[in-house]
Amino acid sequence: MRISNLLGNRFKERPNEARTESRAFLLRGGYLRTDEGGGRFWLPPGVRVRTHIIEACLRFWTRWNPQSVQLSATPPDRFSYTTEILRWLRGELSSYTQLPRMVYTVRQYAPMQGASEELLLDAWLLHHETPPASSHEEERMAEMYAILQSWGISPLLREGGTLTSEGTHSESLWAICDAGDTQIAVSEDGAYCAPLALAKVEIPSKDNGEPLAIEKVHTPATKTIEALAAFLQIPSHQTAKVVFFEQDAEGRLVMVLVRGDRAVSEEKVARLIGVSLIPATEDAIRAVGAEPGYASPVGLDVSKLRILADHTVAQSTNLVVGANEQEYHLRHFNLQRDLPQITPVDIVQAEADDETEGKHGPISVHRALKLATYEYSGTAYTQAAQMRFDTATGDAAFPFLTHYSVNIDAILVALMECRHDKFGPQWPLPIAPWSVHLHSLNRSNADVAQAADNLYDVFREIGINVLYDDRNVRPGVQFAEADLLGTPIRIIVGERNWQERKVEWKRRDYDKKGLLPYDEVLPTVQRWLTEGGSL
């Protein structure tokens, strides 16, 4: 590719809209354009990086000979997407001799309504042998971790899922960076990480003495925890906070209790009840006998609603809760005594400095990008899709499924965040938009211009991925734009060194440079590419 033909402009100044370094360099380097509505338009350098990341992932799965498939329409979520893929595959894979088999698809996906679409690579591995405790999936994820780390993404964290009684297992890889769209909790020793909204933490109990008899008290104008604690002159941890949601999967109103000094994790609640959360209306709250702003489960018909009480409530004594009457509360509520049928659950929102489960130390909170996830689901999905295969003995069985999901755009942004200097990105060789950036300086010198043109032709003939700056512009302009494009290997043919038939080389990925005889350029570049870029 000649840079004189390359679509997209490069800019010297940082755009005002760029909140992070990665966004600034994506815009300045001509990788990406955005609009006010969140739309994205990827220009050739960005398209090439995305393509190279996909190709690197497919090489990672070479042992399974991944094959591309496409759906005509994109289902709304990853669960529906997997089910739909299996529905189509069940007529194509019917014998153990066809397994293991991997198929993949590349699709645009918006994580939430109104959000910018991201490029995802999804791969499904169907196999007929049960992996022992998902060991081979964990091994594959460790390999992907090593690859991403070798590219320069750091800090890189593994969020390990738990092997369930059903044999399912999952794991995710996260990159901590300013461009992250998710808050994650990381333990002091780095051995534990999880999205903050789902982090499991141990919160010290609040023992407020031996359980006392419930006592009704007048508490005017105390609809909030802050107002209630101030009126009664007690700390907020001596109260219980109540939050209502419209309904669970069975249509019941959901009442959530957490200690008054803590927040409810809506993510945890949504996973427990199995539906998206909708705040309950005051009419719906009153319909079960509760009073908005003064509500509690005391005295209600618990069969008419679903009550979720956090461990922080169960571990505290003599809490103040609503009396289900305007301007009245109840002192000395004790969950285990007053509602023994309610089993405590984990629905509290984790906070910085909370202690993690497993004693890994207190958590810190960081912004992060989820780069990849694998999920071994056993036969749960294949049974739901009624996908069977014939075993070696002629019996019918359900294949086992592992689903890999790689966020291509998240990896691109994480690399840009982790590998840049003040001038631009420093792409690792495997996924750089071009392997070699060839410069021709002072093209008015016919010998220099011819030498650079000849190198360009040779690079192209032997299949080296090269970008050629053939413009007759100042060296400073060429070099500044080359920094923004971040190509790892630069070869500079200029008048000063050509007198000795030498060219300058520069490694942007290693921040080193030197001189080479012209005749040694090609074998040197070939050696760098063959050896993975090492000097």
Side-chain angles (χ1 to χ4, degrees), residues 492-517:
I492 304 163
V493 183
E495 190 173 32
R496 182 180 60 184
N497 294 316
W498 186 247
Q499 296 175 6
E500 300 178 11
R501 289 189 62 83
K502 289 185 178 182
V503 301
E504 185 179 0
W505 63 268
K506 183 176 182 180
R507 290 297 298 268
R508 178 123 179 88
D509 51 353
Y510 283 92
D511 197 24
K512 293 182 181 295
K513 61 183 179 180
L515 293 176
L516 273 175

PDB file of all heavy atoms in Angstrom, residues 492-517:
ATOM      1  N   ILE A 492      14.187   3.387   6.234  1.00  0.00           N
ATOM      2  CA  ILE A 492      14.228   4.776   5.770  1.00  0.00           C
ATOM      3  C   ILE A 492      15.346   4.918   4.738  1.00  0.00           C
ATOM      4  O   ILE A 492      16.535   4.769   5.056  1.00  0.00           O
ATOM      5  CB  ILE A 492      14.470   5.731   6.957  1.00  0.00           C
ATOM      6  CG1 ILE A 492      13.384   5.513   8.021  1.00  0.00           C
ATOM      7  CG2 ILE A 492      14.497   7.182   6.482  1.00  0.00           C
ATOM      8  CD1 ILE A 492      13.728   6.079   9.376  1.00  0.00           C
ATOM      9  N   VAL A 493      14.954   5.171   3.501  1.00  0.00           N
ATOM     10  CA  VAL A 493      15.912   5.387   2.424  1.00  0.00           C
ATOM     11  C   VAL A 493      16.056   6.895   2.235  1.00  0.00           C
ATOM     12  O   VAL A 493      15.104   7.568   1.814  1.00  0.00           O
ATOM     13  CB  VAL A 493      15.445   4.722   1.111  1.00  0.00           C
ATOM     14  CG1 VAL A 493      16.514   4.895   0.028  1.00  0.00           C
ATOM     15  CG2 VAL A 493      15.142   3.240   1.333  1.00  0.00           C
ATOM     16  N   GLY A 494      17.228   7.425   2.578  1.00  0.00           N
ATOM     17  CA  GLY A 494      17.444   8.868   2.506  1.00  0.00           C
ATOM     18  C   GLY A 494      18.753   9.222   1.824  1.00  0.00           C
ATOM     19  O   GLY A 494      19.680   8.393   1.720  1.00  0.00           O
ATOM     20  N   GLU A 495      18.861  10.453   1.374  1.00  0.00           N
ATOM     21  CA  GLU A 495      20.010  10.900   0.598  1.00  0.00           C
ATOM     22  C   GLU A 495      21.299  10.839   1.392  1.00  0.00           C
ATOM     23  O   GLU A 495      22.362  10.452   0.869  1.00  0.00           O
ATOM     24  CB  GLU A 495      19.743  12.333   0.112  1.00  0.00           C
ATOM     25  CG  GLU A 495      20.742  12.848  -0.891  1.00  0.00           C
ATOM     26  CD  GLU A 495      20.316  14.194  -1.441  1.00  0.00           C
ATOM     27  OE1 GLU A 495      19.670  14.973  -0.690  1.00  0.00           O
ATOM     28  OE2 GLU A 495      20.628  14.481  -2.610  1.00  0.00           O
ATOM     29  N   ARG A 496      21.259  11.176   2.677  1.00  0.00           N
ATOM     30  CA  ARG A 496      22.484  11.253   3.479  1.00  0.00           C
ATOM     31  C   ARG A 496      23.166   9.887   3.591  1.00  0.00           C
ATOM     32  O   ARG A 496      24.371   9.765   3.385  1.00  0.00           O
ATOM     33  CB  ARG A 496      22.157  11.792   4.867  1.00  0.00           C
ATOM     34  CG  ARG A 496      23.377  11.947   5.767  1.00  0.00           C
ATOM     35  CD  ARG A 496      22.980  12.490   7.126  1.00  0.00           C
ATOM     36  NE  ARG A 496      22.037  11.598   7.804  1.00  0.00           N
ATOM     37  CZ  ARG A 496      21.477  11.875   8.981  1.00  0.00           C
ATOM     38  NH1 ARG A 496      21.734  13.037   9.584  1.00  0.00           N
ATOM     39  NH2 ARG A 496      20.645  11.022   9.536  1.00  0.00           N
ATOM     40  N   ASN A 497      22.398   8.842   3.911  1.00  0.00           N
ATOM     41  CA  ASN A 497      23.002   7.520   4.091  1.00  0.00           C
ATOM     42  C   ASN A 497      23.207   6.785   2.768  1.00  0.00           C
ATOM     43  O   ASN A 497      23.988   5.834   2.703  1.00  0.00           O
ATOM     44  CB  ASN A 497      22.116   6.671   5.011  1.00  0.00           C
ATOM     45  CG  ASN A 497      22.063   7.229   6.418  1.00  0.00           C
ATOM     46  OD1 ASN A 497      23.096   7.624   6.969  1.00  0.00           O
ATOM     47  ND2 ASN A 497      20.882   7.284   6.999  1.00  0.00           N
ATOM     48  N   TRP A 498      22.493   7.246   1.734  1.00  0.00           N
ATOM     49  CA  TRP A 498      22.600   6.530   0.462  1.00  0.00           C
ATOM     50  C   TRP A 498      23.983   6.699  -0.177  1.00  0.00           C
ATOM     51  O   TRP A 498      24.408   5.877  -1.005  1.00  0.00           O
ATOM     52  CB  TRP A 498      21.519   7.008  -0.491  1.00  0.00           C
ATOM     53  CG  TRP A 498      21.484   6.202  -1.763  1.00  0.00           C
ATOM     54  CD1 TRP A 498      21.795   6.619  -3.017  1.00  0.00           C
ATOM     55  CD2 TRP A 498      21.175   4.810  -1.879  1.00  0.00           C
ATOM     56  NE1 TRP A 498      21.686   5.583  -3.925  1.00  0.00           N
ATOM     57  CE2 TRP A 498      21.293   4.449  -3.234  1.00  0.00           C
ATOM     58  CE3 TRP A 498      20.805   3.820  -0.959  1.00  0.00           C
ATOM     59  CZ2 TRP A 498      21.063   3.169  -3.702  1.00  0.00           C
ATOM     60  CZ3 TRP A 498      20.568   2.538  -1.434  1.00  0.00           C
ATOM     61  CH2 TRP A 498      20.697   2.226  -2.778  1.00  0.00           C
ATOM     62  N   GLN A 499      24.700   7.729   0.219  1.00  0.00           N
ATOM     63  CA  GLN A 499      26.052   7.915  -0.303  1.00  0.00           C
ATOM     64  C   GLN A 499      26.927   6.706   0.009  1.00  0.00           C
ATOM     65  O   GLN A 499      27.864   6.397  -0.725  1.00  0.00           O
ATOM     66  CB  GLN A 499      26.662   9.184   0.271  1.00  0.00           C
ATOM     67  CG  GLN A 499      25.936  10.454  -0.148  1.00  0.00           C
ATOM     68  CD  GLN A 499      26.491  11.697   0.534  1.00  0.00           C
ATOM     69  OE1 GLN A 499      27.490  11.622   1.230  1.00  0.00           O
ATOM     70  NE2 GLN A 499      25.839  12.835   0.316  1.00  0.00           N
ATOM     71  N   GLU A 500      26.647   6.007   1.114  1.00  0.00           N
ATOM     72  CA  GLU A 500      27.370   4.789   1.479  1.00  0.00           C
ATOM     73  C   GLU A 500      26.529   3.548   1.189  1.00  0.00           C
ATOM     74  O   GLU A 500      26.856   2.457   1.658  1.00  0.00           O
ATOM     75  CB  GLU A 500      27.746   4.828   2.960  1.00  0.00           C
ATOM     76  CG  GLU A 500      28.638   6.003   3.334  1.00  0.00           C
ATOM     77  CD  GLU A 500      28.950   6.026   4.826  1.00  0.00           C
ATOM     78  OE1 GLU A 500      28.650   5.030   5.505  1.00  0.00           O
ATOM     79  OE2 GLU A 500      29.492   7.040   5.296  1.00  0.00           O
ATOM     80  N   ARG A 501      25.457   3.721   0.397  1.00  0.00           N
ATOM     81  CA  ARG A 501      24.505   2.650   0.064  1.00  0.00           C
ATOM     82  C   ARG A 501      23.996   1.957   1.335  1.00  0.00           C
ATOM     83  O   ARG A 501      23.923   0.728   1.422  1.00  0.00           O
ATOM     84  CB  ARG A 501      25.120   1.637  -0.907  1.00  0.00           C
ATOM     85  CG  ARG A 501      25.309   2.196  -2.313  1.00  0.00           C
ATOM     86  CD  ARG A 501      25.697   1.117  -3.288  1.00  0.00           C
ATOM     87  NE  ARG A 501      24.688   0.079  -3.434  1.00  0.00           N
ATOM     88  CZ  ARG A 501      23.618   0.167  -4.228  1.00  0.00           C
ATOM     89  NH1 ARG A 501      23.407   1.292  -4.933  1.00  0.00           N
ATOM     90  NH2 ARG A 501      22.784  -0.835  -4.322  1.00  0.00           N
ATOM     91  N   LYS A 502      23.646   2.791   2.287  1.00  0.00           N
ATOM     92  CA  LYS A 502      23.047   2.285   3.521  1.00  0.00           C
ATOM     93  C   LYS A 502      21.682   2.912   3.731  1.00  0.00           C
ATOM     94  O   LYS A 502      21.395   4.004   3.207  1.00  0.00           O
ATOM     95  CB  LYS A 502      23.946   2.596   4.733  1.00  0.00           C
ATOM     96  CG  LYS A 502      25.228   1.776   4.769  1.00  0.00           C
ATOM     97  CD  LYS A 502      26.010   2.049   6.037  1.00  0.00           C
ATOM     98  CE  LYS A 502      27.257   1.189   6.099  1.00  0.00           C
ATOM     99  NZ  LYS A 502      28.024   1.419   7.371  1.00  0.00           N
ATOM    100  N   VAL A 503      20.863   2.227   4.487  1.00  0.00           N
ATOM    101  CA  VAL A 503      19.543   2.747   4.857  1.00  0.00           C
ATOM    102  C   VAL A 503      19.424   2.677   6.372  1.00  0.00           C
ATOM    103  O   VAL A 503      20.096   1.884   7.041  1.00  0.00           O
ATOM    104  CB  VAL A 503      18.391   1.953   4.197  1.00  0.00           C
ATOM    105  CG1 VAL A 503      18.503   1.995   2.679  1.00  0.00           C
ATOM    106  CG2 VAL A 503      18.354   0.524   4.697  1.00  0.00           C
ATOM    107  N   GLU A 504      18.561   3.515   6.906  1.00  0.00           N
ATOM    108  CA  GLU A 504      18.314   3.517   8.350  1.00  0.00           C
ATOM    109  C   GLU A 504      17.149   2.589   8.677  1.00  0.00           C
ATOM    110  O   GLU A 504      16.183   2.502   7.919  1.00  0.00           O
ATOM    111  CB  GLU A 504      17.993   4.938   8.825  1.00  0.00           C
ATOM    112  CG  GLU A 504      17.832   5.052  10.347  1.00  0.00           C
ATOM    113  CD  GLU A 504      17.532   6.462  10.806  1.00  0.00           C
ATOM    114  OE1 GLU A 504      17.450   7.374   9.936  1.00  0.00           O
ATOM    115  OE2 GLU A 504      17.363   6.661  12.021  1.00  0.00           O
ATOM    116  N   TRP A 505      17.278   1.883   9.765  1.00  0.00           N
ATOM    117  CA  TRP A 505      16.154   1.079  10.263  1.00  0.00           C
ATOM    118  C   TRP A 505      15.775   1.557  11.652  1.00  0.00           C
ATOM    119  O   TRP A 505      16.591   2.084  12.403  1.00  0.00           O
ATOM    120  CB  TRP A 505      16.480  -0.412  10.281  1.00  0.00           C
ATOM    121  CG  TRP A 505      17.617  -0.797  11.208  1.00  0.00           C
ATOM    122  CD1 TRP A 505      18.934  -0.895  10.875  1.00  0.00           C
ATOM    123  CD2 TRP A 505      17.526  -1.112  12.606  1.00  0.00           C
ATOM    124  NE1 TRP A 505      19.684  -1.251  11.974  1.00  0.00           N
ATOM    125  CE2 TRP A 505      18.838  -1.398  13.051  1.00  0.00           C
ATOM    126  CE3 TRP A 505      16.483  -1.187  13.526  1.00  0.00           C
ATOM    127  CZ2 TRP A 505      19.119  -1.750  14.367  1.00  0.00           C
ATOM    128  CZ3 TRP A 505      16.762  -1.540  14.843  1.00  0.00           C
ATOM    129  CH2 TRP A 505      18.076  -1.814  15.251  1.00  0.00           C
ATOM    130  N   LYS A 506      14.520   1.406  11.978  1.00  0.00           N
ATOM    131  CA  LYS A 506      14.024   1.772  13.302  1.00  0.00           C
ATOM    132  C   LYS A 506      12.973   0.773  13.720  1.00  0.00           C
ATOM    133  O   LYS A 506      12.098   0.417  12.931  1.00  0.00           O
ATOM    134  CB  LYS A 506      13.437   3.191  13.279  1.00  0.00           C
ATOM    135  CG  LYS A 506      12.957   3.670  14.648  1.00  0.00           C
ATOM    136  CD  LYS A 506      12.471   5.117  14.605  1.00  0.00           C
ATOM    137  CE  LYS A 506      12.045   5.574  15.984  1.00  0.00           C
ATOM    138  NZ  LYS A 506      11.571   6.985  15.974  1.00  0.00           N
ATOM    139  N   ARG A 507      13.076   0.323  14.956  1.00  0.00           N
ATOM    140  CA  ARG A 507      12.073  -0.594  15.501  1.00  0.00           C
ATOM    141  C   ARG A 507      11.216   0.167  16.498  1.00  0.00           C
ATOM    142  O   ARG A 507      11.645   0.479  17.606  1.00  0.00           O
ATOM    143  CB  ARG A 507      12.745  -1.792  16.169  1.00  0.00           C
ATOM    144  CG  ARG A 507      13.418  -2.730  15.185  1.00  0.00           C
ATOM    145  CD  ARG A 507      12.415  -3.376  14.222  1.00  0.00           C
ATOM    146  NE  ARG A 507      11.450  -4.178  14.930  1.00  0.00           N
ATOM    147  CZ  ARG A 507      11.595  -5.487  15.164  1.00  0.00           C
ATOM    148  NH1 ARG A 507      12.676  -6.122  14.723  1.00  0.00           N
ATOM    149  NH2 ARG A 507      10.665  -6.167  15.800  1.00  0.00           N
ATOM    150  N   ARG A 508      10.012   0.492  16.079  1.00  0.00           N
ATOM    151  CA  ARG A 508       9.104   1.233  16.959  1.00  0.00           C
ATOM    152  C   ARG A 508       8.687   0.379  18.143  1.00  0.00           C
ATOM    153  O   ARG A 508       8.459   0.889  19.239  1.00  0.00           O
ATOM    154  CB  ARG A 508       7.874   1.673  16.160  1.00  0.00           C
ATOM    155  CG  ARG A 508       6.840   2.418  16.989  1.00  0.00           C
ATOM    156  CD  ARG A 508       6.552   3.785  16.422  1.00  0.00           C
ATOM    157  NE  ARG A 508       5.547   4.490  17.200  1.00  0.00           N
ATOM    158  CZ  ARG A 508       5.812   5.238  18.246  1.00  0.00           C
ATOM    159  NH1 ARG A 508       7.071   5.371  18.651  1.00  0.00           N
ATOM    160  NH2 ARG A 508       4.852   5.859  18.896  1.00  0.00           N
ATOM    161  N   ASP A 509       8.588  -0.937  17.945  1.00  0.00           N
ATOM    162  CA  ASP A 509       8.179  -1.820  19.035  1.00  0.00           C
ATOM    163  C   ASP A 509       9.286  -2.016  20.064  1.00  0.00           C
ATOM    164  O   ASP A 509       9.018  -2.353  21.215  1.00  0.00           O
ATOM    165  CB  ASP A 509       7.686  -3.165  18.494  1.00  0.00           C
ATOM    166  CG  ASP A 509       8.661  -3.801  17.512  1.00  0.00           C
ATOM    167  OD1 ASP A 509       9.660  -3.151  17.142  1.00  0.00           O
ATOM    168  OD2 ASP A 509       8.410  -4.954  17.115  1.00  0.00           O
ATOM    169  N   TYR A 510      10.541  -1.825  19.665  1.00  0.00           N
ATOM    170  CA  TYR A 510      11.663  -1.966  20.600  1.00  0.00           C
ATOM    171  C   TYR A 510      12.317  -0.632  20.938  1.00  0.00           C
ATOM    172  O   TYR A 510      13.203  -0.563  21.785  1.00  0.00           O
ATOM    173  CB  TYR A 510      12.743  -2.887  20.014  1.00  0.00           C
ATOM    174  CG  TYR A 510      12.418  -4.356  20.083  1.00  0.00           C
ATOM    175  CD1 TYR A 510      11.781  -4.986  19.024  1.00  0.00           C
ATOM    176  CD2 TYR A 510      12.744  -5.109  21.191  1.00  0.00           C
ATOM    177  CE1 TYR A 510      11.480  -6.333  19.071  1.00  0.00           C
ATOM    178  CE2 TYR A 510      12.451  -6.460  21.261  1.00  0.00           C
ATOM    179  CZ  TYR A 510      11.818  -7.072  20.186  1.00  0.00           C
ATOM    180  OH  TYR A 510      11.522  -8.406  20.243  1.00  0.00           O
ATOM    181  N   ASP A 511      11.954   0.436  20.222  1.00  0.00           N
ATOM    182  CA  ASP A 511      12.548   1.758  20.394  1.00  0.00           C
ATOM    183  C   ASP A 511      14.063   1.709  20.185  1.00  0.00           C
ATOM    184  O   ASP A 511      14.839   2.241  20.974  1.00  0.00           O
ATOM    185  CB  ASP A 511      12.213   2.329  21.778  1.00  0.00           C
ATOM    186  CG  ASP A 511      12.449   3.844  21.840  1.00  0.00           C
ATOM    187  OD1 ASP A 511      12.410   4.475  20.766  1.00  0.00           O
ATOM    188  OD2 ASP A 511      12.693   4.365  22.936  1.00  0.00           O
ATOM    189  N   LYS A 512      14.474   1.041  19.092  1.00  0.00           N
ATOM    190  CA  LYS A 512      15.881   0.963  18.724  1.00  0.00           C
ATOM    191  C   LYS A 512      16.024   1.325  17.252  1.00  0.00           C
ATOM    192  O   LYS A 512      15.074   1.223  16.474  1.00  0.00           O
ATOM    193  CB  LYS A 512      16.447  -0.439  18.977  1.00  0.00           C
ATOM    194  CG  LYS A 512      16.514  -0.822  20.450  1.00  0.00           C
ATOM    195  CD  LYS A 512      17.123  -2.193  20.617  1.00  0.00           C
ATOM    196  CE  LYS A 512      17.174  -2.588  22.096  1.00  0.00           C
ATOM    197  NZ  LYS A 512      18.054  -1.732  22.880  1.00  0.00           N
ATOM    198  N   LYS A 513      17.228   1.733  16.862  1.00  0.00           N
ATOM    199  CA  LYS A 513      17.468   2.092  15.469  1.00  0.00           C
ATOM    200  C   LYS A 513      18.923   1.861  15.126  1.00  0.00           C
ATOM    201  O   LYS A 513      19.776   1.656  15.997  1.00  0.00           O
ATOM    202  CB  LYS A 513      17.084   3.552  15.215  1.00  0.00           C
ATOM    203  CG  LYS A 513      17.870   4.565  16.026  1.00  0.00           C
ATOM    204  CD  LYS A 513      17.359   5.976  15.751  1.00  0.00           C
ATOM    205  CE  LYS A 513      18.119   7.011  16.587  1.00  0.00           C
ATOM    206  NZ  LYS A 513      17.625   8.383  16.316  1.00  0.00           N
ATOM    207  N   GLY A 514      19.229   1.893  13.795  1.00  0.00           N
ATOM    208  CA  GLY A 514      20.589   1.684  13.341  1.00  0.00           C
ATOM    209  C   GLY A 514      20.664   1.814  11.827  1.00  0.00           C
ATOM    210  O   GLY A 514      19.719   2.278  11.183  1.00  0.00           O
ATOM    211  N   LEU A 515      21.821   1.399  11.257  1.00  0.00           N
ATOM    212  CA  LEU A 515      22.025   1.460   9.812  1.00  0.00           C
ATOM    213  C   LEU A 515      22.285   0.066   9.264  1.00  0.00           C
ATOM    214  O   LEU A 515      22.828  -0.806   9.956  1.00  0.00           O
ATOM    215  CB  LEU A 515      23.223   2.358   9.474  1.00  0.00           C
ATOM    216  CG  LEU A 515      23.083   3.850   9.782  1.00  0.00           C
ATOM    217  CD1 LEU A 515      24.393   4.577   9.477  1.00  0.00           C
ATOM    218  CD2 LEU A 515      21.929   4.465   8.995  1.00  0.00           C
ATOM    219  N   LEU A 516      21.858  -0.146   8.003  1.00  0.00           N
ATOM    220  CA  LEU A 516      22.053  -1.413   7.324  1.00  0.00           C
ATOM    221  C   LEU A 516      22.548  -1.163   5.909  1.00  0.00           C
ATOM    222  O   LEU A 516      22.082  -0.226   5.246  1.00  0.00           O
ATOM    223  CB  LEU A 516      20.728  -2.177   7.209  1.00  0.00           C
ATOM    224  CG  LEU A 516      20.269  -3.078   8.340  1.00  0.00           C
ATOM    225  CD1 LEU A 516      18.876  -3.595   8.018  1.00  0.00           C
ATOM    226  CD2 LEU A 516      21.230  -4.245   8.530  1.00  0.00           C
ATOM    227  N   PRO A 517      23.476  -1.987   5.409  1.00  0.00           N
ATOM    228  CA  PRO A 517      23.772  -1.935   3.975  1.00  0.00           C
ATOM    229  C   PRO A 517      22.493  -2.255   3.195  1.00  0.00           C
ATOM    230  O   PRO A 517      21.702  -3.109   3.606  1.00  0.00           O
ATOM    231  CB  PRO A 517      24.843  -3.014   3.788  1.00  0.00           C
ATOM    232  CG  PRO A 517      25.468  -3.174   5.142  1.00  0.00           C
ATOM    233  CD  PRO A 517      24.362  -2.936   6.115  1.00  0.00           C
TER     234      PRO A 517
END
